[in-house]
Amino acid sequence: MEEGKKLLCSFGYAFRGIGWAIRTQRNLRIHLVATVYVLLFAWMMKLSAVHLCLELLCCMLIISLELVNSALERICDGITREQRPWIRDAKDAAAGAVLIAAIGSVVLALIIFFHGGYLSQLQKTFAEYPLSWITAILMIPIGGTFVFLPTKK
């Protein structure tokens, strides 16, 4: 029974860490909003299951790397606030990992969009459901509001 309680607690710690990161890390909120946009456009373009899985995998990779990057920055800041080249390098490398994953995800999305035959599907969706344009346009300020909420330390 004790092992089950430990396991349950470990999930609680993970959710607490995710909550902390959402409250304090603007870049994570940017990635979360981008994920919502990916899901919205995946629905509008009627992506195949394989393409949707690839897009979601990329989004989850970026969000996971952003969480690791945030954890590393927090630990480094806890060690010292002084300018140390080795801490700067570690932080920059972690941020670089997120950037590489984000660039790769955008390239993958463009390949899927342009070579997967979804451009015509998107045009059909907008023609059949004019409200989908409005929905897409309204999502931008809603996402922007979430991204630029003040961070809490």
Side-chain angles (χ1 to χ4, degrees):
M1 190 67 169
E2 187 64 32
E3 287 301 314
K5 187 175 179 181
K6 285 181 184 178
L7 179 63
L8 196 58
C9 284
S10 69
F11 281 104
Y13 300 145
F15 284 117
R16 185 175 66 198
I18 293 167
W20 165 82
I22 290 170
R23 285 189 313 277
T24 63
Q25 305 300 307
R26 184 188 68 236
N27 288 348
L28 179 63
R29 292 195 302 264
I30 290 170
H31 295 304
L32 290 171
V33 168
T35 299
V36 170
Y37 291 155
V38 165
L39 291 173
L40 175 68
F41 284 106
W43 170 74
M44 292 169 69
M45 292 187 295
K46 298 180 171 87
L47 252 60
S48 72
V50 170
H51 288 156
L52 178 61
C53 288
L54 287 170
E55 291 293 331
L56 285 174
L57 185 63
C58 286
C59 290
M60 295 306 107
L61 172 67
I62 293 168
I63 290 168
S64 296
L65 284 171
E66 188 63 54
L67 286 166
V68 170
N69 180 44
S70 297
L72 185 129
E73 286 183 355
R74 181 89 163 151
I75 277 212
C76 287
D77 290 346
I79 292 171
T80 182
R81 286 291 194 167
E82 294 177 24
Q83 296 294 323
R84 305 276 184 183
W86 51 276
I87 287 184
R88 181 202 61 222
D89 295 344
K91 288 174 143 185
D92 290 351
V98 178
L99 181 62
I100 293 295
I103 290 169
S105 296
V106 169
V107 169
L108 180 97
L110 291 173
I111 290 169
I112 288 173
F113 184 72
F114 287 108
H115 294 290
Y118 293 108
L119 189 56
S120 61
Q121 180 58 47
L122 186 61
Q123 290 168 337
K124 271 195 230 175
T125 300
F126 283 142
E128 290 175 25
Y129 305 102
L131 286 178
S132 59
W133 272 107
I134 295 168
T135 303
I137 291 168
L138 287 176
M139 289 297 290
I140 294 169
I142 292 169
T145 301
F146 177 68
V147 165
F148 293 108
L149 287 173
T151 57
K152 299 174 184 168
K153 294 292 176 180

